[in-house]
Every structure is written in C-alpha cells, then in structure tokens.
C-alpha cells in the first residue's frame, strides 16, 4: 500500500523488483498495476505502456527476457534511460521485475555503452546491490525479494 501510494502521488518514479525465479516479481507488479488502476497487465505482453493520472507508465514484467524482436538489454536501456541522471521531470513511472544478477549484467552493459563511465543511476544500483548501505535517490525503490 505504501509503494502504491508513493507511485500514485509521483513520489516514486522507478520501481525495481529483484529476486530469484519464482519469487513472485511478476505477480507483484501485476498486482501493483491493478491497485494503481492500470488494469490487467498480462504476462504474455511482458512490456506494457499506459497512463496513470496523465503520466506515462511503462512496465517490464521480465527484465531478463527479449520481447517482440528486441533484446533484454534494449528493453532495459529504454526503461532506465530517463533515470540515468536523476528523476525525470515529466512525472513518468517505470516498473520492472528482474533478477539481481541480470540487473548487474545490464549495469555493466550500460556503463560500457557510456565508455566505461557509470551514471548516477548505475552507481546507486551497484552500491545498493552490493549491500554497502548507500541510499538510493528518493524517487527509486529497489525491492529485493530473495
């Protein structure tokens, strides 16, 4: 309920659910989408775009999978692009379910595409996944289910 309200109010714009296969990441996102009033987000669609109170919402139910001829990295690049340098100013919300190993692989891919430079987003995610206690920006929620 707290996450639902934070997304609805625009306090949180990036939600990342990490966990092992079978931990319930996809079901969690589908349930959250329903509670937000976004309707049903079927698993077969994997990537879903919609609107919430005039704001763009993008959901990727499986950040480890390719979909519709696009690689998993391409889909994650698109999902994370507005967040590399901080919270987007247009009120969008992006939500993704991905295992932490795959998220770390994407971070390496993203940093390599930036000539080896980390972005504020990839730095924060790496630190959070390493468990060093670094706080994430307030618009980001990283929920680790495993």
């Amino acid at each position: 309920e707290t996450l639902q309200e934070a997304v609805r109010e625009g306090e949180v714009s990036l939600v990342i659910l990490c966990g092992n296969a079978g931990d319930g990441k996809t079901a969690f996102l589908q349930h959250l989408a329903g509670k937000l009033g976004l309707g049903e987000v079927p698993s077969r669609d994997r990537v879903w775009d919609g609107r919430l109170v005039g704001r763009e919402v993008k959901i990727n139910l499986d950040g480890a999978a390719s979909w519709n001829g696009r690689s998993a990295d391409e889909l994650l690049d698109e999902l994370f692009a507005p967040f590399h340098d901080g919270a987007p100013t247009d009120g969008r919300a992006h939500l993704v379910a991905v295992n932490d190993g795959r998220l770390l692989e994407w971070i390496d891919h993203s940093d390599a595409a930036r000539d080896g430079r980390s972005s504020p987003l990839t730095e924060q995610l790496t630190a959070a996944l390493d468990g060093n206690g670094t706080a994430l920006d307030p618009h980001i929620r990283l929920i680790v289910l495993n």
Side-chain angles (χ1 to χ4, degrees):
E1 289 177 9
T2 302
L3 179 60
Q4 170 190 331
E5 188 63 26
V7 171
R8 186 185 318 279
E9 296 299 319
E11 298 166 12
V12 171
S13 55
L14 179 59
V15 177
I16 305 165
L17 293 176
C18 286
N20 296 316
D23 279 347
K25 300 178 299 291
T26 297
F28 187 109
L29 279 186
Q30 290 169 316
H31 181 75
L32 179 59
K35 289 290 190 181
L36 288 169
L38 297 170
E40 182 181 345
V41 180
S43 298
R44 72 180 174 276
D45 289 342
R46 300 245 173 125
V47 176
W48 184 89
D49 293 296
R51 298 201 71 71
L52 173 66
V53 192
R55 296 181 359 234
E56 175 190 338
V57 177
K58 182 178 288 293
I59 299 174
N60 184 331
L61 295 174
D62 186 356
S66 58
W67 185 71
N68 264 2
R70 299 179 68 202
S71 73
D73 281 336
E74 289 172 323
L75 295 169
L76 290 174
D77 287 344
E78 180 181 308
L79 186 120
F80 288 124
F83 301 93
H84 276 288
D85 295 313
T89 58
D90 61 3
R92 72 180 59 229
H94 290 191
L95 301 85
V96 62
V98 61
N99 67 52
D100 49 355
R102 180 64 187 101
L103 182 57
L104 286 167
E105 287 175 15
W106 174 82
I107 290 168
D108 289 342
H109 156 83
S110 177
D111 290 350
R114 297 168 63 97
D115 296 323
R117 295 182 330 255
S118 298
S119 71
L121 174 66
T122 60
E123 285 177 4
Q124 288 181 51
L125 291 177
T126 300
L129 290 167
D130 287 346
N132 76 2
T134 301
L136 294 167
D137 284 347
H139 70 280
I140 302 171
R141 291 294 184 280
L142 174 65
I143 301 165
V144 181
L145 298 176
N146 56 5

